[in-house]
Amino acid sequence: MDWISPIFDEATYPTNLPWDSRLSQHGCNQAQELSQYFVKNNIKIDRIYSSPLFRTLQTASIIADKLDLEVFIEYGLSEWYDPLEAKTYPNCAPLSVLREFFPRINPAYIPITKLPNDGETLQGLQKRLDRTTQSLIDAGEDLKCVLIIAHAASLVAGVRALIKQRNAVINCGTCSLTKCTRSNEGWVLELNGDTSSLSHGSENNCIFTEVAVEDGVNEDEMQINNY
């Protein structure tokens, strides 16, 4: 919503926190279309994990309503804590506040990863998602299909952690669907930012490229179009 109305008010920021804007109506429509895709294709999801930010929880809750599931908040899926944006870290509201908006949140779940309390490099983000994705796999051995709702940066880092390809190009338009399946050889990328479920197709797709940072150390740097 802050792409449409950058004014800091309750209509855009229900939790009154910077970076924690709600979805636009178009974003809600996209989430509805994605939920219909799961129903139409008889895709059974065992659990939904979501970043703690409002817009991801909106997406997760729309899908959870359709599939009659709970939502598990996982802090490790949160946005990148860009050290250059120290005054606007994407902090989240307390669980008690979020449950007022999203009653499908499971209040008993204890997140595997804590929210960062300081800025993190992109290498730090990748390490966070390495830990988070592996911990979710270890904790969910009895689950066959898990849906993760995250952000462009955490989605890319999480998929790269699964398929063990640090420079893989991962498409992440708004409400796109990326699918990884496990085989005897490891995790395989089957869908890469698929938007076939969305009536408007791919929108706001992010682009990640390799650049050299100022101190001379090469790391994955993020360059974003329309994000």
Side-chain angles (χ1 to χ4, degrees):
M1 187 65 186
D2 56 354
W3 298 347
I4 299 171
S5 176
I7 299 172
F8 190 85
D9 59 14
E10 188 175 350
T12 301
Y13 297 89
T15 60
N16 198 34
L17 292 171
W19 285 60
D20 199 23
S21 64
R22 67 184 306 122
L23 289 179
S24 66
Q25 184 56 54
H26 180 59
C28 292
N29 293 342
Q30 286 183 312
Q32 289 285 3
E33 289 180 325
L34 183 56
S35 69
Q36 291 286 3
Y37 169 87
F38 293 133
V39 173
K40 180 180 178 181
N41 291 278
N42 197 29
I43 298 173
K44 185 182 182 301
I45 293 171
D46 297 309
R47 181 171 295 181
I48 298 176
Y49 290 104
S50 174
S51 153
L53 296 186
F54 202 92
R55 56 194 180 275
T56 45
L57 284 170
Q58 268 188 289
T59 302
S61 294
I62 289 171
I63 297 172
D65 284 343
K66 178 67 69 174
L67 304 181
D68 193 22
L69 292 171
E70 291 183 301
V71 175
F72 292 72
I73 290 180
E74 179 49 58
Y75 293 151
L77 302 174
S78 190
E79 263 283 20
W80 173 36
Y81 277 47
D82 183 350
L84 299 180
E85 301 289 345
K87 295 182 179 180
T88 54
Y89 285 156
N91 291 317
C92 65
L95 180 63
S96 58
V97 173
L98 293 175
R99 291 199 75 236
E100 293 178 6
F101 293 100
F102 309 111
R104 286 191 176 271
I105 291 174
N106 182 315
Y109 176 72
I110 300 175
I112 292 169
T113 306
K114 294 181 179 179
L115 278 174
N117 56 14
D118 201 355
E120 58 184 357
T121 65
L122 282 168
Q123 290 176 336
L125 167 71
Q126 184 63 64
K127 290 179 181 178
R128 166 160 59 97
L129 269 298
D130 286 345
R131 294 191 303 270
T132 300
T133 52
Q134 187 57 54
S135 296
L136 291 177
I137 292 169
D138 294 341
E141 283 296 334
D142 57 333
L143 305 176
K144 291 186 177 181
C145 184
V146 170
L147 178 65
I148 292 175
I149 314 290
H151 308 270
S154 50
L155 183 147
V156 169
V159 173
R160 286 175 172 176
L162 277 177
I163 64 175
K164 300 188 183 306
Q165 295 180 31
R166 280 291 191 259
N167 301 322
V169 176
I170 308 300
N171 294 317
C172 44
T174 50
C175 215
S176 60
L177 181 64
T178 295
K179 179 182 179 182
C180 295
T181 57
R182 185 158 49 179
S183 68
N184 292 333
E185 289 75 33
W187 289 87
V188 178
L189 183 61
E190 285 197 9
L191 295 177
N192 189 349
D194 181 73
T195 55
S196 60
S197 63
L198 307 179
S199 56
H200 291 269
S202 178
E203 298 178 88
N204 305 300
N205 194 30
C206 296
I207 300 173
F208 290 70
T209 59
E210 292 286 308
V211 299
V213 294
E214 290 182 1
D215 63 4
V217 178
N218 288 326
E219 67 172 11
D220 291 347
E221 185 60 90
M222 182 169 63
Q223 296 183 350
I224 302 175
N225 289 344
N226 300 321
Y227 181 74

